[in-house]
Amino acid sequence: MKREIIITSDGSTTIHLPEWNEQYHSKHGAIREAYHVFIRNGLKYVAPKSVSILEIGFGTGLNCFITLLEADKKIDYVGVEAYPVAKEEVEKLNYVDELEVNNKQELFDKIHEVSWEEKHTITPYFSLTKRKQFFTEITDKNCFDLIYFDAFGARVQPDLWTEDIFRIMFSALKSEGVLVTYSAKGSVRRAMQAVGFEVERLPGPPGKREMLRATKP
């Protein structure tokens, strides 16, 4: 499938799939979306002094990199991705420049260069494990405080937004664990509720009226 690097509304890059008319991040601003959905309504919302995070859709590494930059607590980060982004695509991403953290280029590079299927210490307070697997293959039980659910949209991959998938997410979370996602579709909210999540609608990032945050009781 053809893939193109495009510039989103806030100046940051993302990967566009013309065949699906779908992007890895919002065309209204990749960085703005990441901060709003995953940092403000996810990372800054959970209370533990150390946080274990599961990202569904590691993709460009943007959510991981911003989480590293914003971390005010020790973080154990696991990113799941079935189709890793190619090295030549990573080199065209402008997140370090747009975030104005040129002194952190080495950390962004390290996130992408470390091997898969192994736990790596990126900084003294941030560890990363990248797992190449399909979301249906996740078997973690009661492991995570927070899930960044950043899969491709239900319009193009509805099978990633079903009760079966959210049951896997529910099992992976600890009690009182939280899942955040940019989606606010009614079918998604109902699928979350059907497996036991308590779901709230929140104001969405630029270009979206609402987003969802789900909590495991």
Side-chain angles (χ1 to χ4, degrees):
M1 190 179 296
K2 185 180 179 183
R3 297 147 67 93
E4 304 170 339
I5 304 292
I6 65 168
I7 304 292
T8 66
S9 294
D10 65 2
S12 57
T13 46
T14 192
I15 298 174
H16 175 66
L17 307 177
E19 187 177 324
W20 286 354
N21 189 28
E22 181 76 343
Q23 294 78 226
Y24 276 61
H25 308 285
S26 171
K27 62 184 180 181
H28 298 283
I31 287 175
R32 280 195 300 228
E33 178 191 47
Y35 265 103
H36 181 89
V37 176
F38 302 111
I39 303 302
R40 295 192 192 102
N41 289 299
L43 182 65
K44 301 300 184 184
Y45 176 77
V46 296
K49 291 181 180 178
S50 62
V51 177
S52 53
I53 299 175
L54 173 66
E55 181 179 14
I56 300 301
F58 185 78
T60 65
L62 174 60
N63 297 332
C64 178
F65 184 52
I66 290 179
T67 300
L68 186 158
L69 296 178
E70 293 293 319
D72 56 3
K73 55 194 88 178
K74 190 169 184 178
I75 291 177
D76 185 9
Y77 200 101
V78 176
V80 174
E81 177 62 59
Y83 303 99
V85 172
K87 183 176 185 292
E88 54 269 25
E89 292 173 316
V90 172
E91 291 171 351
K92 296 176 183 176
L93 301 173
N94 68 356
Y95 303 138
V96 172
D97 289 338
E98 289 299 310
L99 289 163
E100 298 180 347
V101 289
N102 293 86
N103 60 328
K104 306 293 185 182
Q105 180 69 55
E106 184 179 343
L107 292 178
F108 181 73
D109 294 340
K110 190 174 182 181
I111 283 170
H112 286 283
E113 290 168 358
V114 294
S115 58
W116 292 72
E117 317 306 336
E118 296 179 287
K119 186 172 182 177
H120 299 274
T121 299
I122 306 300
T123 74
Y125 56 87
F126 191 96
S127 64
L128 170 64
T129 306
K130 297 186 297 185
R131 301 196 321 217
K132 187 177 178 181
Q133 65 180 161
F134 293 106
F135 306 152
T136 52
E137 298 170 343
I138 294 170
T139 58
D140 304 86
K141 305 293 183 186
N142 304 308
C143 291
F144 299 100
D145 301 295
L146 177 62
I147 292 177
Y148 294 168
F149 199 87
D150 200 16
F152 283 131
R155 176 181 62 83
V156 297
Q157 289 198 308
D159 54 314
L160 301 182
W161 301 84
T162 62
E163 287 184 27
D164 287 343
I165 292 292
F166 288 118
R167 192 170 290 112
I168 293 170
M169 300 299 106
F170 191 88
S171 295
L173 281 171
K174 300 175 185 176
S175 178
E176 300 185 353
V178 171
L179 179 152
V180 284
T181 183
Y182 63 86
S183 179
K185 286 178 67 73
S187 60
V188 172
R189 177 175 52 83
R190 290 188 291 273
M192 290 176 174
Q193 291 171 327
V195 303
F197 278 113
E198 295 174 352
V199 186
E200 55 187 322
R201 295 188 185 94
L202 301 171
K208 289 190 68 70
R209 189 164 57 88
E210 293 180 323
M211 58 165 282
L212 297 176
R213 181 165 63 204
T215 303
K216 180 177 181 177

